[in-house]
């Protein structure tokens, strides 16, 4: 089954082609600067251990032009992996927000598209771009089944005590204001990998997704019981440019005393805070370099960043009433040994003991970095959201062949 996975952003487009049951991608690509001069397209074809990279710039005015360019690379004689776009049987779309309407992967119909549009106010930076990707793919792959995989879906198992806010009931029942959670595709992938590794489908897990955006989830027997991001992707952990948890009184002060308007507050908390606000840089590699040079701002930022993760580990261990493993994933979680070390420091009471030597090892494979005496496993699991989307598409169509 040829499954083409699309992640459409506001000015970018990521894609991968899978030929399941093989779980290594046949090719992948990234289109950047869509709508601007000198758009950049990077296309990779994988043959065994070999990787053939094609990169060039051209003007791509919109997402349709970008996806058509990608499809031409899929089928061009020199580097193509398909003879015809109609060989793609399924297009899997990442959709950030599914609200309460979508708790599972869903075949896209006109009604589903309308529901995704109705959710635009809950994810104004993401859902419109995701929707645009669907519309473009329908034109380019008219014979393929279009499938939506929602970032929020995995978190829909949360009990009401975890997803409700202590606000008037009408704000939930009429406006849908509640905890939704995000990064669900990543949390689902690594939680399943960990449960399989442990040989324990009932495992109590804490998954820690650390990229530019950061979130955590408490997973009990494959079901999320709590997560750190809430109504939007701003709450919880300290992130690259987002503040994470914040006393709402700060917002009132910004508005009433400092004259901020709504747009300025949103820009401050989403784009100018987090590690960028603390250090002037949002990339952890730059902050690590500053830390090694003795920058006190970088030192504080690392402490604040890892302390917040540590607090959530304690809270989620209590919510789970036990803990079998903590899992680090995504760009920072997989590659920053110092973040893992500082996070796991002084968690002996919970049975979490880090092996410093194992923590320094760099590999793309799942690995343990705990000591033999640690009661809780500490795992580093590279996430693979595109593969998870492809798997969910396959599983959906296998369970509903009459709809395929």
């Amino acid at each position: 089954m040829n499954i083409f996975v699309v992640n459409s952003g506001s000015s970018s487009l990521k894609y991968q082609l899978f030929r399941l049951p093989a779980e290594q991608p046949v090719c992948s690509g990234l289109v950047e600067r869509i709508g601007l001069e000198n758009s950049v397209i990077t296309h990779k074809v994988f043959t065994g251990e070999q990787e053939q990279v094609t990169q060039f710039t051209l003007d791509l005015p919109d997402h349709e032009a970008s996806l058509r360019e990608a499809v031409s690379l899929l089928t061009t004689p020199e580097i193509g992996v398909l003879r015809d776009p109609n060989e793609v049987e399924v297009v899997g779309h990442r959709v950030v927000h599914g609200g309460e309407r979508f708790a599972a992967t869903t075949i896209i119909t006109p009604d589903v598209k309308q529901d995704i549009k109705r959710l635009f106010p809950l994810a104004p930076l993401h859902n419109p771009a995701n929707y645009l990707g669907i519309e473009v793919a329908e034109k380019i792959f008219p014979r393929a089944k279009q499938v939506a995989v929602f970032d929020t879906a995995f978190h829909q198992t949360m009990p009401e005590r975890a997803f409700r806010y202590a606000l008037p009931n009408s704000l939930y029942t009429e406006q849908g204001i509640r905890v939704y959670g995000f990064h669900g595709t990543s949390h689902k992938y690594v939680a399943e990998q960990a449960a399989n590794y442990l040989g324990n489908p009932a495992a109590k897990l804490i998954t820690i997704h650390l990229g530019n955006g950061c979130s955590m989830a408490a997973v009990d027997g494959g079901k999320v019981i709590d997560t750190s991001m809430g109504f939007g992707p701003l709450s919880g952990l300290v992130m690259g440019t987002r503040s994470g948890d914040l006393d709402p009184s700060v917002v009132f002060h910004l508005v009433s005393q400092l004259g901020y308007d709504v747009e300025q507050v949103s820009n401050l908390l989403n784009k100018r805070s987090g590690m960028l606000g603390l250090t002037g840089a949002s990339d952890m590699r730059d902050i690590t370099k500053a830390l090694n040079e003795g920058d006190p701002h970088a030192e504080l930022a690392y402490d604040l960043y890892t302390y917040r993760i540590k607090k959530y580990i304690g809270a989620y261990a209590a919510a789970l009433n036990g803990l079998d493993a903590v899992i680090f994933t995504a760009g920072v979680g997989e590659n920053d040994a110092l973040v893992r070390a500082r996070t796991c420091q002084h968690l002996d009471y919970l049975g979490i003991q880090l092996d410093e030597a194992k923590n320094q090892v760099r590999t793309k494979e799942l690995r343990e970095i705990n000591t033999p005496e640690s009661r809780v496993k500490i795992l580093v699991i590279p996430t693979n959201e595109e593969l998870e989307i492809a798997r969910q598409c396959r599983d959906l169509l296998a369970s509903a062949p009459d709809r395929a």
Side-chain angles (χ1 to χ4, degrees), residues 29-196:
L30 171 64
V31 187
E32 301 172 277
R33 293 175 53 84
I34 295 173
L36 302 174
E37 290 185 4
N38 297 319
S39 306
V40 180
I41 183 165
T42 305
H43 182 81
K44 299 179 181 179
V45 176
F46 307 103
T47 306
E49 297 297 317
Q50 301 299 313
E51 178 181 298
Q52 183 179 359
V53 181
T54 302
Q55 185 177 69
F56 54 92
T57 62
L58 72 169
D59 291 341
L60 294 169
D62 52 34
H63 285 69
E64 182 169 349
S66 301
L67 192 53
R68 289 194 184 280
E69 188 65 35
V71 171
S72 73
L73 291 169
L74 292 178
T75 56
T76 191
E78 294 79 11
I79 59 171
V81 294
L82 298 174
R83 293 186 301 273
D84 188 290
N86 287 322
E87 292 180 31
V88 171
E89 298 156 81
V90 184
V91 181
H93 297 268
R94 179 197 180 211
V95 181
V96 166
H97 214 306
E100 289 190 319
R101 167 70 174 81
F102 298 106
T105 298
T106 303
I107 294 172
I108 296 171
T109 65
D111 287 344
V112 167
K113 287 171 64 177
Q114 287 304 310
D115 285 333
I116 292 172
K117 288 183 74 172
R118 291 188 190 100
L119 293 166
F120 280 8
L122 296 183
L125 299 180
H126 298 93
N127 270 34
N130 304 153
Y131 182 88
L132 182 58
I134 293 169
E135 296 244 289
V136 170
E138 287 176 333
K139 294 179 184 178
I140 296 176
F141 303 102
R143 296 186 185 179
K145 185 65 65 178
Q146 308 286 332
V147 176
V149 180
F150 298 92
D151 270 7
T152 51
F154 186 51
H155 301 299
Q156 288 296 301
T157 56
M158 282 188 292
E160 195 166 10
R161 64 174 179 268
F163 74 69
R164 284 290 298 273
Y165 292 116
L167 294 170
N169 289 327
S170 61
L171 288 175
Y172 167 61
T173 58
E174 298 172 18
Q175 303 298 325
I177 297 177
R178 53 157 285 178
V179 171
Y180 289 104
F182 299 90
H183 298 137
T185 306
S186 176
H187 287 292
K188 184 177 189 294
Y189 178 82
V190 299
E192 289 178 350
Q193 293 288 106
N196 290 337

Side-chain angles (χ1 to χ4, degrees), residues 157 201-205 217-226 319-321 324:
T157 56
K204 295 177 182 292
L205 308 170
V219 183
D220 193 352
K223 294 184 177 182
V224 175
I225 65 166
D226 208 344
L320 288 163
N321 191 29
D324 294 301

Side-chain angles (χ1 to χ4, degrees), residues 186-260:
S186 176
H187 287 292
K188 184 177 189 294
Y189 178 82
V190 299
E192 289 178 350
Q193 293 288 106
N196 290 337
Y197 175 78
L198 298 171
N200 180 10
K204 295 177 182 292
L205 308 170
I206 297 175
T207 52
I208 309 171
H209 177 106
L210 303 176
N212 189 51
C214 304
S215 65
M216 291 173 62
V219 183
D220 193 352
K223 294 184 177 182
V224 175
I225 65 166
D226 208 344
T227 190
S228 61
M229 282 182 170
F231 180 68
L234 183 57
S235 65
L237 305 179
V238 176
M239 307 177 218
T241 64
R242 299 180 191 137
S243 65
D245 286 341
L246 185 78
D247 180 351
S249 299
V250 174
V251 176
F252 305 150
H253 184 81
L254 291 171
V255 172
S256 65
Q257 301 300 316
L258 301 182
Y260 280 62

